[in-house]
Each structure stands twice: as C-alpha cells, then as structure tokens.
Amino acid sequence: MRLATWNVNSIRSRLDRVAEFLDRQDIDVLALQETKCRDDQFPFERFDELGYEVAHLGINQWNGVAIVSRVGLTDVELAFPNQPGFDKEAGESLISAPVVESRALGATCGGVRVWSLYVPNGRALADPHYAYKLEWLAALRESGARWLAEDPQAKIALVGDWNIAPTDDDVWAPELFIHKTHTSQPERDAFRAFLDTGFADVMRPYAPGPGVYTYWDYTQLRFPRKEGMRIDFILASPTLATTTKDAFVDREERKGKGASDHAPVIAEFTV
C-alpha cells in the first residue's frame, strides 16, 4: 500500500495537480488537509473517474479533510472520540459537537485505519488557540492509546499536517522560532507523547538529519532558499510500522506555478 498525506491548501485550486500526483506516484490512499470547501463543493466526480472513493468533511471555506482511496473506504468517522472544538466568539476550546471543526476524518482502507488530521495551528503562545491545540493533541493521543490497548495488532496511520516541528532538525532556523508556536516545548512534548504511546514516525529512518522539510512559506523565497519546516507526518502503529518499505517527501509538488505550500509525504507498506 502506498499511503500519502498532503496539505493541499484548496482542493479546487489544485485538483489537476492532485490527479496527476495520484497517477505519477501510484498512490493507493491519499489523506488531504485544508481542502477549503464544503462537502457539496468537493469534486467527487473527478476522483470517481480516476477509480477512487472519497470521504470528505468540510463545513465552510476553512480547514477541511478528506481521504481518497482505491483499496476500499469503510467505517467513516467525522471526528475522533472527545475531539475538542473551538468557539471563536468565546475564544476557548470545548468538547461539544456543534463547534467541532473539520479537522479529523477516519476511514478503513485496505485493512489500515487511516486518520487524516489537520492539527490546529496555535497562532501564538498566549492565544486561546494554542491551548486548544494542546487539548486537541491530548485528546487524540488518548484515543490512539485506547485503540492500541484494545487491539495491539491494529494497523493505524495518524497522518496529516501536525503544525509541529518536533526537533530542531525539523526547522531551518530554530532561533527564529523561540517563544513562537510549532517549536515550543509543550507542543514538542505533545508530539513525543504519540511516539511514547507506540506510534512511529515512519519517514525519519529514511531521512535522518536536518534539511528534510514538508512546508515552505510562500513569502521571502522560502522554498528556493531551502528555508522550510517538517510539520507533516505519517505516524504508524507498531504493527503497521514494521511493514514500512520506504518513506519520503515528494518535493516536486512544491515546485512550479500553483503549488501548495506543503509537499506530500509518502510511505509504502507491505500490508
């Protein structure tokens, strides 16, 4: 199984690129983030023509997650258990279904439980959105731990845009992010908690050391200057991780006109 995750930064703007990527990389399952459209605006027909089933969760022009699969797509869930929402007016996070954002979508594809995740950005360390981010991650980790406790052999992939650079090797200039989000110790601790639970960052063994990034801001020529961050991940459960054959970033998709500011992460499993 070739599984990929990609913050596409608007599926309608990059539909042709996504279609070409699926063919070029022979992708079986693709998790998308920041689709930026409602369910009724998602281009289901194009994926159907390509032989893929789609599950999508989109409420408005913000956020939005999808799973695209040609190896089956069943047991769709629109949120993980106790997923916090965010009340923009009150400026606080809530465990309440009416305010849960379109940030998590789960489905079983070819025997693997795939979660497409768009972790809250956090904005700033003093912003209520930062506390929301940490609560969101804690709730997801609790769910992940429970899934593994219930079935230690479960094949689970937690994939997407995590909005965290977990080590200094994952950002081009750590000193520029002191007292900012994405590299703060609480965020890094939250990411580490998933690894401590048993999930594995499957790409790291294939791309050790600094300079391997998945995101480059559009401003200040970040991409050609190689000033990026590694914030997109495929975290695999223990059983799934042992089947990893390869994992890499497709930097080609960050090049050219109309590219997303993220590149896809791809992993191949022998499931």
Side-chain angles (χ1 to χ4, degrees):
M1 175 187 287
R2 287 176 70 85
L3 168 65
T5 181
W6 191 2
N7 180 323
V8 74
N9 194 12
S10 177
I11 183 61
R12 290 178 293 173
S13 298
R14 280 168 255 287
L15 180 58
D16 288 341
R17 290 189 74 123
V18 172
E20 292 168 5
F21 166 76
L22 289 169
D23 180 64
R24 179 169 60 85
Q25 290 289 3
D26 193 26
I27 300 298
D28 295 305
V29 182
L30 171 62
L32 296 169
Q33 301 84 42
E34 278 205 278
T35 57
K36 293 186 175 179
C37 65
R38 302 187 309 268
D39 289 344
D40 64 309
Q41 298 172 316
F42 190 90
F44 291 96
E45 297 82 4
R46 181 68 177 276
F47 290 98
D48 184 62
E49 293 169 359
L50 296 171
Y52 289 84
E53 298 178 80
V54 179
H56 177 258
L57 175 62
I59 300 171
N60 49 37
Q61 74 273 27
W62 309 112
N63 310 322
V65 284
I67 297 174
V68 178
S69 173
R70 65 180 183 186
V71 292
L73 195 154
T74 59
D75 302 323
V76 175
E77 289 185 83
L78 305 183
F80 56 81
N82 296 320
Q83 179 180 327
F86 189 74
D87 188 327
K88 293 181 175 62
E89 293 184 5
E92 61 183 8
S93 54
L94 303 167
I95 299 176
S96 175
V99 294
V100 170
E101 298 178 301
S102 49
R103 292 184 176 275
L105 179 70
T108 299
C109 308
V112 177
R113 188 65 178 167
V114 179
W115 281 92
S116 180
L117 306 166
Y118 180 40
V119 176
N121 179 282
R123 301 175 185 169
L125 300 187
D127 194 290
H129 210 259
Y130 179 76
Y132 166 49
K133 179 179 190 174
L134 296 178
E135 291 178 23
W136 201 95
L137 288 164
L140 176 61
R141 192 212 64 82
E142 289 175 4
S143 291
R146 184 166 56 254
W147 297 330
L148 292 182
E150 292 171 350
D151 182 4
Q153 303 305 312
K155 298 182 180 69
I156 304 171
L158 306 178
V159 312
D161 178 357
W162 290 73
N163 272 314
I164 300 171
T167 73
D168 283 353
D169 282 350
D170 297 314
V171 59
W172 87 94
E175 67 276 8
L176 297 181
F177 288 84
I178 296 174
H179 305 308
K180 294 183 180 179
T181 60
H182 290 56
T183 63
S184 73
Q185 196 59 52
E187 290 168 285
R188 288 180 166 180
D189 289 345
F191 187 90
R192 166 59 61 181
F194 287 88
L195 307 184
D196 293 341
T197 298
F199 290 90
D201 172 6
V202 299
M203 197 185 77
R204 179 48 87 192
Y206 296 91
V212 180
Y213 305 133
T214 65
Y215 165 81
W216 302 260
D217 195 284
Y218 286 130
T219 63
Q220 302 181 42
L221 299 175
R222 294 295 189 206
F223 183 66
R225 292 168 63 175
K226 300 181 180 179
E227 297 176 346
M229 305 176 74
R230 190 170 79 106
I231 60 175
D232 302 84
F233 298 91
I234 295 175
L235 299 190
S237 62
T239 296
L240 180 61
T242 61
T243 72
T244 309
K245 290 181 61 180
D246 193 14
F248 60 96
V249 179
D250 184 356
R251 292 182 77 258
E252 293 300 310
E253 288 300 339
R254 183 57 180 83
K255 298 178 181 179
K257 184 178 179 180
S260 170
D261 46 2
H262 294 250
V265 178
I266 303 168
E268 186 169 357
F269 302 100
T270 57
V271 295

